[in-house]
Every structure is written in structure tokens, then in C-alpha cells.
Amino acid sequence: MNALFLGGDLRQKYACDYLCKNNILSEYHESFELDEYIINKIKNASIVVLPIPITKDDINLNTVSSCIIKLSDIIPLINIDSIIFGGIFSKILKKQLEEMNQKYVDLFDIEEFQIKNALLSAEGAIYYAKQHLDKSIYGSEIAVLGFGRIGKILSYLLYSQGAKITVCARKDKDYTWSKLIGFNGFKIKTDGNKNNLSMIDNRFDIVFNTIPYRVLDEEFVEKLNTDTIIIDLASRPFGMDDSLVKKYKLKYYRELGIPGRYAPMSAGEIIGKTIINNLLIKED
């Protein structure tokens, strides 16, 4: 059994190292051209590991280098008996692979992976927030928008450091859980493109957003303190429109791909362990 890692960031390198340490012959190619060497490697790999996310435009492989590699040039080269691992397969790619009867595993379909990845995202979010905050987390008023995996872990970690947490949740169950745990809770209600976030007090030192929708609208933003730091952890289309950032001169930071930047070794080991566990399950 051998694995080939293509593209991605330092997470992939550490995941490759982890597989090697566990007796799976592996290679990592961050930057490459589809020359004869790589083509043969792809054809002969029993495991092909693609980045997180695999692609940002449904066309090209996600890489941190300047090389441009089309997915349509890579996928047909992969042996039908091989397994493709990666993160966040697009609907287009999933359909293509299923039509080819190609085996694939989306890491983000595995709950254990998502929870561990969320922990690194939450830890990293706090780390980056501290770089912009001129006071202690202890005693700070912090709003966490969304109470999914990242929102739950983030709220707990901040609370453990003495922060005063307000959880803003869209789902009834998340709002209820946040209240039962002991956080201040606020139920986000939406009406078309509008919501009721502007009804919250503007006392927050930090606002963390984990909701991948434009929940941070103008009515909410214009009531914030000018020193409020906004950390957006959500995927596209993000939580706020860029025009509002410019208009109100907000301290707004989009922190994407935190595990790969904050703790690439830990993130890579999580990828490696998930791949091995999944292979063991398939063998059983």
C-alpha cells in the first residue's frame, strides 16, 4: 500500500509523515507538474490524498504554490481500485467520481475528524483574536454566532478563560443547549435577508462568527463599539459584506483554514489518523 499527497499546505506534509511512520509508503508533492514521473505516481498510488479544500473553484487543485493543476487532468489518471481522500468534495466532483465508480472519502463526512478539526479551529481563533485584542480574554464580553461544532468548543474554551459569553444561535436546539449549559443565549430570528441581531447590546469586545451567511448586517454593525474585534471563521459567503467593513472601518478579520496555519502538525496527524482508521474499517 502506498499513498500520494498532491497539493495543499503543511497539513498534507505532516499527514504524509504520519503515514510513513505507520508503515505506509507515502510521498508529498506541494508543487508539481504533470510530467511522466508524477503521472506514473498517480497511476500506481493505492491512496491519493487531495487537499482541504480540494478546490476553490471546481476547476483547479488547491495548492499554496503558483502551479496550476486542473482536477480534470488528475482524476482520470487515478486507478479505479485506488481510494481518494480529501476535504470538502464539491457536488460536481462527487458526481463525477460516482459516475466513474471511483472510491472516495470526504474527511468532512467523518464526525470524529470534524470534531478534532473544530478544536484546532477554536484554539487558533482565540490565538488570532488575542493578537488583535489589547486586553485580557478574562472578563471580556464575547459573542459567539453559531453553536455548531466550532461554536460549542470555542464558547467552552473562552468561558474556561473567564470570558463572559453570549451565544447567538439560529436553531432552537442550539439556543436551548446554550442556555442549559449556562451561557447567555440569544435566538437569531430571520425574515428574508434581515435578522434581529441588532437587538443585542453593543457591549462586545469580540464577536466570533461561525455562520456561513451574511448574518452581520448593517443594522447590527452600526451599533457595535468602534473597538469591537470581529473574527469571521465562516466559509463562503462569510458573515459580512466587504462594503460594510470599509464603510464602518471595522476591525474585521477573516481567519480561514486555521488548522493548517495555527497547528499544521496536529492537523496533519488528525488527517493521517483518520485515513488509517478508515482503511482499517474498509479492511474489516
Side-chain angles (χ1 to χ4, degrees):
M1 181 176 290
N2 66 305
L4 181 66
F5 288 76
L6 299 174
D9 51 31
L10 277 177
R11 283 175 288 186
Q12 304 297 87
K13 176 186 179 299
Y14 285 115
C16 178
D17 292 344
Y18 185 85
L19 293 191
C20 288
K21 291 175 183 177
N22 284 272
N23 302 315
I24 298 177
L25 184 64
S26 305
E27 287 188 23
Y28 166 60
H29 295 275
E30 171 193 308
S31 178
F32 61 94
E33 294 181 2
L34 280 176
D35 53 22
E36 185 177 352
Y37 176 81
I38 292 293
I39 289 174
N40 286 331
K41 285 292 181 180
I42 295 174
K43 289 181 176 179
N44 293 307
S46 49
I47 304 167
V48 176
V49 186
L50 301 180
I52 301 174
I54 293 172
T55 178
K56 295 181 179 179
D57 58 9
D58 286 328
I59 298 173
N60 298 311
L61 184 72
N62 177 21
T63 68
V64 294
S65 66
S66 58
C67 68
I68 299 176
I69 306 293
K70 291 184 177 180
L71 282 173
S72 59
D73 291 333
I74 293 176
I75 299 302
L77 298 173
I78 300 174
N79 192 302
I80 196 66
D81 294 322
S82 302
I83 303 176
I84 301 174
F85 286 88
I88 314 177
F89 284 68
S90 67
K91 292 181 180 179
I92 294 174
L93 182 56
K94 282 185 176 181
K95 181 179 179 182
Q96 178 186 355
L97 294 175
E98 288 163 3
E99 289 175 349
M100 296 168 60
N101 292 318
Q102 178 69 59
K103 291 176 287 187
Y104 70 90
V105 175
D106 190 336
L107 297 173
F108 279 80
D109 286 338
I110 301 172
E111 184 68 15
E112 182 181 5
F113 173 85
Q114 290 213 61
I115 293 171
K116 291 179 178 178
N117 205 59
L119 172 60
L120 295 183
S121 294
E123 280 188 0
I126 295 172
Y127 168 78
Y128 291 120
K130 286 179 177 179
Q131 292 183 331
H132 302 293
L133 191 65
D134 57 4
K135 60 182 293 188
S136 172
I137 289 290
Y138 182 88
S140 293
E141 293 279 359
I142 299 177
V144 177
L145 277 58
F147 206 56
R149 297 180 192 88
I150 295 177
K152 287 182 175 69
I153 297 172
L154 180 60
S155 298
Y156 172 77
L157 292 178
L158 290 166
Y159 178 77
S160 69
Q161 295 183 42
K164 300 174 183 178
I165 308 299
T166 298
V167 171
C168 305
R170 294 178 298 168
K171 298 178 181 178
D172 289 334
K173 67 174 183 178
D174 291 337
Y175 168 73
T176 303
W177 270 115
S178 69
K179 295 284 286 184
L180 287 173
I181 291 170
F183 299 129
N184 293 325
F186 181 85
K187 179 68 170 63
I188 299 176
K189 298 179 181 179
T190 58
D191 181 12
N193 294 325
K194 294 185 178 181
N195 62 61
N196 62 337
L197 271 178
S198 60
M199 295 174 62
I200 301 181
D201 195 325
N202 65 352
R203 65 186 182 279
F204 300 112
D205 299 297
I206 311 175
V207 174
F208 289 96
N209 176 55
T210 70
I211 302 173
Y213 297 99
R214 297 291 173 84
V215 289
L216 299 165
D217 58 19
E218 187 160 12
E219 290 185 5
F220 172 73
V221 167
E222 65 183 1
K223 293 184 178 180
L224 285 177
N225 294 326
T226 55
D227 292 331
T228 298
I229 294 169
I230 303 172
I231 305 289
D232 199 343
L233 307 174
S235 57
R236 295 179 186 276
F238 312 116
M240 180 183 293
D241 189 275
D242 289 336
S243 62
L244 294 179
V245 178
K246 295 178 181 179
K247 180 176 179 179
Y248 291 95
K249 299 179 180 180
L250 300 171
K251 295 180 179 179
Y252 171 80
Y253 306 94
R254 282 180 183 149
E255 299 293 355
L256 304 178
I258 286 179
R261 293 186 290 117
Y262 166 70
M265 179 182 291
S266 297
E269 288 182 354
I270 291 170
I271 294 170
K273 288 178 182 178
T274 304
I275 291 173
I276 290 175
N277 289 343
N278 196 271
L279 292 173
L280 291 174
I281 291 171
K282 289 185 178 299
E283 287 178 0
D284 291 341

